Amino acid sequence: MTSADDFVLQLMEEKALVPSEAIAEERERLMAEGATLADIDSLLIDALVEKKYCKYDDISFMLANEFNVPFISLQNLSVDDEVKNLLTQDDARKYQVFPVAITSGQLELAVIDPMDMDVIDNLGHILKMPIDIRIATPSDIKNAIDEHYGVNAYGDILGNEGVGEDKIEGLDTGNEQGVSEEEAPIIRYVHKLITEAVKRRASDIHLEPLEKRFRIRYRIDGVLIEVENPPKRLQPSIISRLKLMANISIAEKRVPQDGRIQIVYNKKEIDLRVSSLPTVYGESIVMRILDKEGLRLGLPELGFFSDDQAVFERIVGMADGIFLVTGPTGSGKSTTLYSALNYLNHPDRKIITVEDPVEYQMTGINQVQVRREVGMTFAAALRSMLRQAPNIIMIGEIRDLETAEIAINASLTGHMVFSTLHTNDAPSAVTRLVDIGVKPFLVSASLRAALAQRLVRKTCVHCKTPYSPDPHVLQAIGINEIAAAGMTFYHGEGCPKCNGIGCRGRMGIFEIFIVNEELQQMIYEGRTLVELRTKARELGMRTMREDGVRKVSSGLTTADEVLKVTMNES
């Protein structure tokens, strides 16, 4: 029971479901054991069932009769997909309900507690349709959710069961000596939380304290997906466990903190960068999952077609100059630069990076962590790096004039410099450097190329099937009716491999702005962004949207994905 346990107990006594003496005896025992007044009624009901004075099923029958609400058995129930899909598995488990059928425009919903009007009102608001409740037993609802949605991703983590066959090295699983009985379930839960995120290819784990619940979300292929939330009462224990693992101060809860967890999962090295941020309802934790296997991706896996790959390899293989990767946060800039460094990482080259923070630790590369509190800024690190005689320098981001000038001077003295900028397209890298304060003649002399990129979700290869996109979407990305007639479009229908989403993994779409002599002269003369872009297009530059269209026509992604992340070129 969930909302009115005191009323349920009174009803059990009135209906002689349980002897009054048994209720009084169990209440006295629980209070002697230290149960709080807030929890006593709920614990008492559980204790009476555990002592076999009654069953949860008996309580459900009693409530159905008392409130004149139909009782329903969910065993061998046939449910239409349309009805089941009205409610996500996470919501069904969170609210302990199950959708049964739609009758006369109303959703027949099986519930455990007919008195919990907050749940019914919340679901009515979510579903935007009236709800007609039925009462079912807790076991029936749990079994129906398992059967029709799939088994709970976490299993009985907060009970006494182990964590299954998945093993993460570097994590205490709660079975080791010195771990108390109270700590072990939390340790197992955190272990499974991370395991499940890695298995589902999540890039982030978000643990967000809200007013009445503790929300857990995974970011998978750029989209946040909510998973089953642990009880709110476990929030402090889970957060403390993660802070302990990340070597973050447990005592400090007033200021943001950062830490790192290093694990090995299925023989793969994985870093989790942990960020703690105080909020109104507790500390919010975000763990960014950094999979070192991603650094070993070849350029085709990043999304390059063979012609663009050849151009990219030629640019990064230059002896000197600056190469910039541009795009908003989360567009894959760091992954592209790390892949370029991995491609160039040979014994005959010395590579030094200066980053804030160092996201991936790479073998054979000298990586410097920015520490502003001790004076180790990007600019200070760059000055010292030049005395180390590197061939290639990677700067995490050019943020100010001082860093930009040192990077340009390094490129003009025989070093190849890689860095990132936050701009919408590739030619804008020129105007951004000038806006920072770099003289146009220095930009024209040092900039070799700029690459703009976005990430689109890839169509799942396991459930890929032909379809007809919305003509308005095709027109928006530049595919007219005549061109569309000669193309076959694909999307994913949804399968177990992609968790029913139709997409699995992401790839880049690119815009490569190469600075030749003609463009160098235009930059030197201080020409406008529109003029630079027009000239680059005349010289053969392909825009991100045009690259996206190539990938749509190849069946790698959908028109909707390209439309979401690119802007109109007109």
Side-chain angles (χ1 to χ4, degrees), residues 270-342:
I270 294 172
D271 284 351
L272 288 90
R273 201 174 77 206
V274 182
S275 170
S276 166
L277 179 70
T279 70
V280 175
Y281 299 112
E283 290 175 281
S284 172
I285 300 282
V286 175
M287 293 186 284
R288 186 174 179 189
I289 301 172
L290 305 172
D291 183 0
K292 293 185 179 180
E293 292 293 319
L295 304 184
R296 301 188 179 96
L297 289 177
L299 299 180
E301 283 77 20
L302 292 178
F304 284 108
F305 281 141
S306 57
D307 53 350
D308 284 343
Q309 180 178 336
V311 172
F312 183 83
E313 290 175 352
R314 179 170 61 83
I315 293 168
V316 299
M318 289 179 176
D320 56 30
I322 292 182
F323 171 56
L324 297 173
V325 180
T326 75
T329 301
S331 60
K333 301 187 298 295
S334 296
T335 301
T336 298
L337 279 184
Y338 277 119
S339 295
L341 293 181
N342 193 57

Side-chain angles (χ1 to χ4, degrees), residues 519-537:
L519 283 166
Q520 275 185 324
Q521 182 63 30
M522 293 179 69
I523 295 170
Y524 180 82
E525 295 170 358
R527 298 290 188 88
T528 66
L529 173 61
V530 173
E531 291 176 300
L532 293 175
R533 186 170 184 80
T534 302
K535 174 55 67 174
R537 299 278 281 122

Side-chain angles (χ1 to χ4, degrees), residues 135-150:
I135 292 182
T137 65
S139 58
D140 260 13
I141 286 184
K142 179 184 182 302
N143 292 336
I145 294 172
D146 287 347
E147 178 184 349
H148 293 278
Y149 286 104

Side-chain angles (χ1 to χ4, degrees), residues 541-562:
M541 183 185 79
R542 187 183 298 110
T543 67
M544 282 183 284
R545 180 162 284 186
E546 288 170 343
D547 190 42
V549 168
R550 289 206 299 169
K551 282 153 187 171
V552 169
S553 64
S554 299
L556 299 174
T557 188
T558 64
D560 295 280
E561 284 292 312
V562 173

